[in-house]
Amino acid sequence: SSGINAEWPLRPGDTYSIRAPLGVCAGITPFNFPAMIPLWMFPLANVAGNTYVLKPSERDPGAAMMLAELAIEAGLPKGVLNVIHGTHDSVNFICDNPDIKAISFVGSNQAGQHIYERGSKNGKRVQANMAAKNHGVIMPDANKENTLNQLVGAAFGAAGQRCMALSVAVMVGEARNWIPELVERARKLNVTAGDQPGADLGPVISPQSKARIERLIQSGVDEGATLPLDGRNISVPGYENGNFVGPTIISNVTTDMECYREEIFGPVLNILEADTMDDAIEILNNNPYGNGCAVFTNSGAAARKFTNEVDVGQIGVNVPIPVPLPMFSFTGSRGSFLGDSNFYGKAGLNFYSQWKTITTLWKEEDAKTATAEVAMPRMQ
């Protein structure tokens, strides 16, 4: 274990701190990245000395089973990683079981708030990554071709079903003139089953999800937004009954609209307009979520101003989806995160371990004296 060590000068003793395991930890993961997100959790917990209980999404649990099999094949002892299945009862079991000391969760706000409150009430550590509304601010001096390509990929990749999807574009000043070209690039994306060659985006996870996405698109129209690209009612040859929603762009969006306030979690890009960067930053900071954001600009001064003034946990400069590499941590903030320690990196190791501090003193006279010492230990 790594820690802090301090020798007592002129005394035969020392004080040192180590990071010690918690015991049993647990993870509850979503459907959208059934391998990657479990890999944020149990490897770090196991390396820190803990055993682990993993509950994958009931919609695609197979990836977790494959990971467990690979872990055993690699030499992880049986019982160190355990996979359980189910829905509400399994979640509540994890929240209530006294042997489980810490819970990691990635998913919706409703589930995250429930797990955080119930787990914390039972004395557990909880880290919860939840909903997001990630904004990309497009300055008029940005590289136009690169920016438009980045926006299309970040908004519609994975059918928008990722917590770091760039679901809002704030066009600053003359950048608003790029909207028609953005629409045409999105229109060219190939929508089909994800295992088909050349697929750009596949279906959403369920009929219920498709219905919710389409309802939120319609809410924008009903509240006065325009729909330059409508992906509803798309028909995919060979998959006519699939849960497909095509790339959709809603423009003239305002911050009071439901399609802006809610995380849509589908292939839908909201477009807002701002006169200045200050106006764009105000839009971002008034939004309750803080998972990620990006600015597209060729100005170092504008980029520095943006990174200093936005209240968002993960920021990209000409990078649309600024998910950190594993040596850093996933630092979503505000309404997108509940807990004290973020996922993976140094913060993740801290989450899955606890400080233990040991003070030692070995005095030769201890073997001879019968007099008790009642004072606190002194460095003298």
Side-chain angles (χ1 to χ4, degrees), residues 313-332:
Q314 299 172 112
I315 304 168
V317 177
N318 300 319
V319 176
I321 303 179
V323 176
L325 292 170
M327 66 284 291
F328 297 95
S329 297
F330 192 102
T331 52

Side-chain angles (χ1 to χ4, degrees), residues 284-295:
L284 265 71
N285 288 343
N286 286 337
N287 187 278
Y289 297 115
N291 220 28
C293 67
V295 63

Side-chain angles (χ1 to χ4, degrees), residues 18-83:
I18 62 172
R19 300 296 300 188
L22 301 177
V24 184
C25 301
I28 301 168
T29 59
F31 73 84
N32 55 343
F33 291 99
M36 182 184 76
I37 292 177
L39 290 171
W40 290 1
M41 299 178 182
F42 75 81
L44 230 57
N46 292 158
V47 165
N50 305 284
T51 58
Y52 212 78
V53 177
L54 177 64
K55 195 213 84 66
S57 169
E58 67 280 5
R59 296 191 182 278
D60 51 4
M65 298 303 294
M66 287 185 252
L67 289 173
E69 291 168 0
L70 289 170
I72 292 171
E73 183 181 331
L76 196 68
K78 290 184 178 180
V80 174
L81 173 61
N82 310 274
V83 181

Side-chain angles (χ1 to χ4, degrees), residues 142-150 178 181 185:
N143 181 305
K144 180 179 176 182
E145 296 300 314
N146 179 63
T147 298
L148 293 177
N149 287 334
Q150 297 272 34
W178 302 355
E181 291 181 62
R185 294 189 190 209

Side-chain angles (χ1 to χ4, degrees), residues 141-354:
D141 70 332
N143 181 305
K144 180 179 176 182
E145 296 300 314
N146 179 63
T147 298
L148 293 177
N149 287 334
Q150 297 272 34
L151 282 176
V152 169
F156 304 118
Q161 298 172 115
R162 50 189 175 190
C163 64
M164 288 296 287
L166 203 65
S167 55
V168 179
V170 183
M171 314 299 282
V172 178
E174 294 178 3
R176 59 172 56 92
N177 297 330
W178 302 355
I179 294 174
E181 291 181 62
L182 178 64
V183 169
E184 289 311 306
R185 294 189 190 209
R187 194 190 307 275
K188 294 176 182 176
L189 293 175
N190 183 25
V191 182
T192 186
D195 62 351
Q196 295 301 300
D200 291 316
L201 61 155
V204 297
I205 188 64
S206 67
Q208 295 79 13
S209 177
K210 177 181 178 181
R212 179 180 180 275
I213 292 165
E214 292 180 341
R215 181 188 66 77
L216 286 167
I217 294 170
Q218 186 59 44
S219 77
V221 175
D222 293 343
E223 293 179 42
T226 56
L227 203 59
L229 184 59
D230 187 354
R232 297 173 295 177
N233 302 316
I234 189 172
S235 180
V236 177
Y239 304 95
E240 286 78 9
N241 296 321
N243 305 318
F244 290 97
V245 179
T248 299
I249 293 177
I250 311 176
S251 60
N252 296 316
V253 173
T254 56
T255 57
D256 59 333
M257 293 180 180
E258 185 183 13
C259 65
Y260 173 80
R261 299 194 316 270
E262 294 289 325
E263 181 184 40
I264 298 176
F265 220 63
V268 181
L269 177 65
N270 289 329
I271 297 182
L272 285 74
E273 298 179 11
D275 293 329
T276 66
M277 174 176 274
D278 286 325
D279 295 334
I281 291 172
E282 184 178 1
I283 290 171
L284 265 71
N285 288 343
N286 286 337
N287 187 278
Y289 297 115
N291 220 28
C293 67
V295 63
F296 295 89
T297 180
N298 279 323
S299 165
R304 182 60 58 88
K305 173 183 173 67
F306 183 84
T307 58
N308 284 342
E309 295 185 13
V310 292
D311 185 9
V312 177
Q314 299 172 112
I315 304 168
V317 177
N318 300 319
V319 176
I321 303 179
V323 176
L325 292 170
M327 66 284 291
F328 297 95
S329 297
F330 192 102
T331 52
S333 63
R334 294 198 288 147
S336 297
F337 180 74
L338 289 172
D340 296 318
S341 293
N342 294 99
F343 283 80
Y344 62 82
K346 187 174 182 179
L349 283 171
N350 287 341
F351 178 77
Y352 287 125
S353 63
Q354 59 190 336

